[in-house]
Amino acid sequence: MAVKQQLRMVAYRTFYRLPSRWKRRIVRTFQPTYTVGAVILVRDPEASRILLLRQPPGAGWSLPAGLMDRGERPVQTAARELAEETGIKLPLERFRPANPNALVHTRGQWIDMVFEVEVEPPAELVVDAAEVIEAAWHRLDTLPPLTVSTSQLLAHYGIGPYKDYPEVLTK
């Protein structure tokens, strides 16, 4: 493993172990108003499975996602993050805005721009072990333990453990 990759792995693991308010403060230093990110809901062509990631500290599974860079469009962020986190590289035209496309989290001051894409599951997913511990396809009817934020986000699309709880959608 290259030194640069090892340093990146240590930096990500250290960041993910920080208390939530410290992580938010670090992000706000570079993006002081609302933080905007892209989330990708990746399904197989039959729409029976979704792609999920386990990231440090590994407490639950989540969707591919990341923060927008300055000057970047949300769809570009979605394509970049999917490639970085899984090795799946797709043209921008393949990504379509989910409905709803923007989920605004006023308490945490962030916006998730959500995109959907169908992908034939590749033989192998490429993860870097720094930002992503594991990537895998999961059946919609037998999802693994999800992070709370992922469960809440998926409820907007009728997926996951909170899909039948309308109070989740009003937060």
Side-chain angles (χ1 to χ4, degrees):
M1 194 181 297
V3 173
K4 185 176 177 181
Q5 188 176 6
Q6 287 177 332
L7 289 173
R8 190 170 178 240
M9 186 181 332
V10 168
Y12 270 104
R13 287 189 176 157
T14 302
F15 178 79
Y16 282 112
R17 286 188 178 117
L18 293 173
S20 293
R21 70 177 202 270
W22 291 9
K23 289 188 281 192
R24 275 194 301 276
R25 179 165 283 175
I26 290 169
V27 170
R28 299 242 185 290
T29 300
F30 301 104
Q31 296 182 339
T33 55
Y34 269 74
T35 303
V36 180
V39 179
I40 310 95
L41 182 53
V42 185
R43 301 177 198 243
D44 67 349
E46 293 80 37
S48 63
R49 296 183 296 167
I50 61 172
L51 180 63
L52 295 172
L53 311 176
R54 216 165 45 83
Q55 297 178 292
W61 291 80
S62 60
L63 296 167
L67 297 176
M68 232 168 52
D69 289 339
R70 290 193 189 279
E72 193 173 43
R73 294 186 349 238
V75 71
Q76 291 170 317
T77 303
R80 177 179 53 78
E81 287 294 337
L82 184 61
E84 286 176 5
E85 295 180 347
T86 68
I88 298 173
K89 296 177 183 166
L90 299 172
L92 298 181
E93 306 82 55
R94 296 273 308 271
F95 294 83
R96 66 181 186 284
N99 184 15
N101 179 231
L103 298 175
V104 179
H105 307 276
T106 55
R107 284 190 185 169
Q109 289 188 291
W110 83 87
I111 301 169
D112 286 327
M113 301 298 296
V114 185
F115 294 89
E116 295 181 301
V117 66
E118 280 83 31
V119 175
E120 189 64 46
E124 183 179 346
L125 295 166
V126 179
V127 298
D128 67 5
E131 188 176 358
V132 177
I133 299 168
E134 183 180 3
W137 291 90
H138 295 275
R139 292 186 47 82
L140 292 173
D141 57 356
T142 57
L143 291 173
L146 303 170
T147 64
V148 171
S149 59
T150 298
S151 295
Q152 291 172 338
L153 186 138
L154 286 174
H156 288 274
Y157 307 99
I159 301 169
Y162 296 162
K163 68 181 178 186
D164 296 323
Y165 297 93
E167 61 272 16
V168 171
L169 304 179
T170 60
K171 287 186 177 183

